[in-house]
Amino acid sequence: MSSSYSQEPPSTAKVILYTSVGEIAIDLFASQTPLACKSFIQNCLDNYYLGCEFHRVVPGFCVQTGDPSNTGDGGVNGAYGAPFADEIHSRLRFRTRGMVAMANANKPNSNGSQFFITLDKCEELERKHTIFGKVADATIFNVIRIGEGELEEGTERPVHPVRITGAEVVVNPFENIVARTKKAADADEAAKDTAADGKGKVRQREGRAQLSKARKNLVSFDDDDGDGGGDDDDHNHHDDDDERRGAAISSSYCWL
């Protein structure tokens, strides 16, 4: 095992990206970079990256993706609704190819949904970008294949961009990070249960009131002003929707 591998912390999460040239398995450093990993996993669970192109290819340096607009100027963070902070860790370095890091808007703490994968060591990027993962095993050769694609003349834009066709979260250490569609379904089900429970309590109160009135009429022949007693509990319905919408990042992503 090389020294660059042994110095990295153990990964605690894993995602597989499916692309038009094959799989890219990514081991995630979720303990060291929880903000980036939560965002990345959320986006994968939501199929946010579906159709994203590797819109930028810098031969021998890196490939970049994660922008649904495929322009390089877009990208929404899936977990926080706004750009999130950098997470620089001393044991995560650009020492070798296959490092997965957040692209940014050329300023600190401007991470969104875009990310890049290195094709070689990139020491000039140290402490400028959050490294949150590393390409696993032989799937690095699919990344290399992306990096060898033909480019439009004078640009970093591929002539035939490789696309992300799907994502699978293999290991998710964050219990609260689930697909947004599942969150919405769970919230709807909880609301239905609350409504049904509320209706049941109303029916119970009405039944108790009718029984109380009937009993009072039986024992108080001379008293006709019975009021139908019973509880008048107030019901407070709380709709706690903690879904956070993504915020578009307008500035172009770059590294230098």
Side-chain angles (χ1 to χ4, degrees):
M1 179 179 292
S2 68
S3 60
S4 64
Y5 278 76
S6 61
Q7 291 175 6
E8 291 162 3
S11 63
T12 53
K14 186 167 188 172
V15 164
I16 297 176
L17 296 180
Y18 297 96
T19 79
S20 49
V21 296
E23 298 179 5
I24 300 175
I26 302 175
D27 292 329
L28 302 177
F29 304 111
S31 297
Q32 291 72 30
T33 57
L35 293 178
C37 288
K38 284 180 180 180
S39 176
F40 185 67
I41 289 173
Q42 182 73 74
N43 286 335
C44 289
L45 289 171
D46 293 344
N47 286 322
Y48 180 81
Y49 292 129
L50 185 64
C52 285
E53 298 175 353
F54 284 83
H55 62 268
R56 186 182 189 188
V57 173
V58 186
F61 188 57
C62 64
V63 297
Q64 185 174 342
T65 186
D67 173 16
S69 74
N70 293 322
T71 64
D73 295 328
V76 178
N77 176 53
Y80 310 110
F84 60 92
D86 297 328
E87 297 170 295
I88 307 301
H89 193 277
S90 60
R91 293 177 63 188
L92 296 173
R93 308 284 293 275
F94 290 101
R95 295 188 181 99
T96 186
R97 67 187 182 186
M99 304 309 294
V100 185
M102 297 304 306
N104 59 39
N106 201 25
K107 59 183 179 180
N109 306 319
S110 58
N111 302 294
S113 67
Q114 291 194 45
F115 61 96
F116 63 94
I117 305 174
T118 61
L119 298 172
D120 201 347
K121 64 179 181 179
C122 304
E123 295 176 346
E124 63 269 40
L125 301 183
E126 298 291 2
R127 305 193 67 80
K128 296 180 180 178
H129 298 269
T130 297
I131 299 172
F132 66 94
K134 185 171 186 177
V135 176
D137 306 322
T139 63
I140 185 63
F141 294 108
N142 289 329
V143 178
I144 293 173
R145 184 177 175 186
I146 296 172
E148 293 174 343
E150 180 185 0
L151 302 179
E152 296 178 2
E153 186 175 357
T155 74
E156 298 169 343
R157 181 79 182 180
V159 174
H160 306 290
V162 172
R163 292 179 178 269
I164 295 175
T165 59
E168 177 184 357
V169 178
V170 181
V171 179
N172 179 5
F174 307 111
E175 294 183 358
N176 62 325
I177 300 297
V178 298
R180 292 182 188 274
T181 51
K182 183 179 186 304
K183 286 183 181 180
D186 289 345
D188 288 344
E189 192 63 29
K192 291 178 182 178
D193 291 342
T194 300
D197 184 57
K199 290 179 180 178
K201 289 181 179 179
V202 169
R203 286 194 293 268
Q204 290 176 7
R205 288 201 304 275
E206 291 175 346
R208 287 197 299 268
Q210 291 173 358
L211 179 60
S212 176
K213 184 175 182 179
R215 286 176 175 173
K216 190 170 184 178
N217 288 337
L218 285 174
V219 299
S220 304
F221 296 103
D222 298 330
D223 186 2
D224 294 329
D225 60 351
D227 63 354
D231 300 328
D232 287 327
D233 298 337
D234 291 331
H235 290 271
N236 296 321
H237 298 286
H238 300 283
D239 185 11
D240 295 328
D241 182 9
D242 61 357
E243 294 294 336
R244 299 181 178 183
R245 304 296 180 185
I249 301 172
S250 59
S251 54
S252 297
Y253 285 81
C254 57
W255 302 295
L256 304 177

